[in-house]
Amino acid sequence: MPIVRLVYRPRILGRSNVPKSGRVILASNHLSFIDSIAIPVVAPRRVQFLAKSSYFDGTGPRGWVSRTFFTSIGAVAVERGAGAAATEALDAGRKILENESAFAIYPEGTRSLDGRLYKGRTGVAWLALSTGSPVIPVGLIGTDELMPVGSTVPKLKRVTVIFGEPLDLSSHGPATSGKARRHATDEIMAAIHALTGQERADAYNETPPAHAMEKLKRAVLRRERV
């Protein structure tokens, strides 16, 4: 989308770190809805990522515009949520990588509302270790000012996108090892932190529980998050 780059003039660093072909994971911090547009716009190759199925299910003119737009930037529709939905999302990501494509993912799981970098969920490591994909850490700076949470129209703010050097995580062990997944994920998050300089939060970024039953469900979840 040359017109977007012309209007917003993003600073792009490290594009040469992204391989031009073959499977690769782009693991990024997550500050704004616009992140899923910024990465495909500035990446040197087509990048696919997962998006809420509701973006594709709309009807009428607005539904057509949403569906056409998200398809054009490489989005793949998935159901959002934990448990089976999370597993299906990871399976969708694996299929993209097995097709020798580039796949973007946010290890934090959801947007950071306070600007801190939260603990990474281990799904990204499972994808990397199970497919043998290198991981490119991506640092987004200023996207929360370009399109703050709750806004519908981007502001004229300049953002920075940094593509870090590829990470080979195979030394951590197999994808079946929880320890390997945790250590590999921590390495990814450390690399993202080195690019963005964000304050670290030693916790998972959880959306507020909607009701008491949801609070109870979260209380019994295992420590590892995917």
Side-chain angles (χ1 to χ4, degrees), residues 97-116:
L97 293 167
E98 289 176 343
N99 285 329
E100 303 302 321
S101 299
F103 176 62
I105 187 172
Y106 305 115
E108 293 171 277
T110 190
R111 285 174 286 179
S112 171
L113 299 181
D114 59 12
R116 293 188 296 168

Side-chain angles (χ1 to χ4, degrees), residues 58-124:
T59 58
R62 290 185 64 180
W64 179 85
V65 169
S66 176
R67 184 165 53 254
T68 301
F69 173 75
F70 280 97
T71 300
S72 71
I73 61 173
V76 176
V78 294
E79 294 291 338
R80 296 285 295 273
T87 300
E88 290 176 9
L90 289 177
D91 286 340
R94 180 170 181 167
K95 290 178 182 177
I96 291 171
L97 293 167
E98 289 176 343
N99 285 329
E100 303 302 321
S101 299
F103 176 62
I105 187 172
Y106 305 115
E108 293 171 277
T110 190
R111 285 174 286 179
S112 171
L113 299 181
D114 59 12
R116 293 188 296 168
L117 183 66
Y118 282 81
K119 191 173 181 179
R121 297 164 188 265
T122 60
V124 61

Side-chain angles (χ1 to χ4, degrees), residues 18-68:
V18 182
K20 299 296 177 58
S21 62
R23 61 186 67 178
V24 65
I25 297 171
L26 277 63
S28 175
N29 61 323
H30 196 12
L31 297 170
S32 169
F33 166 82
I34 207 75
D35 297 344
S36 296
I37 300 173
I39 293 175
V41 163
V42 305
R45 60 183 287 191
R46 186 170 187 264
V47 176
Q48 292 184 269
F49 62 95
L50 306 181
K52 293 188 295 185
S53 58
S54 59
Y55 292 143
F56 299 82
D57 297 340
T59 58
R62 290 185 64 180
W64 179 85
V65 169
S66 176
R67 184 165 53 254
T68 301

Side-chain angles (χ1 to χ4, degrees), residues 116-145:
R116 293 188 296 168
L117 183 66
Y118 282 81
K119 191 173 181 179
R121 297 164 188 265
T122 60
V124 61
W126 180 83
L127 282 172
L129 296 173
S130 64
T131 64
S133 303
V135 175
I136 304 295
V138 180
L140 299 174
I141 301 173
T143 55
D144 52 338
E145 296 180 6

Side-chain angles (χ1 to χ4, degrees), residues 1 9 11-12 14 16 39-40 47 53-54 63 67 70 81 83 85 100 104 108 115 135 162 164-166 220 223 225:
M1 299 181 184
R9 299 182 301 113
R11 299 182 185 89
I12 311 168
S16 61
I39 293 175
V47 176
S53 58
S54 59
R67 184 165 53 254
F70 280 97
E100 303 302 321
E108 293 171 277
V135 175
I162 309 172
E165 295 184 359
V220 298
R223 289 188 177 182
R225 298 288 193 273

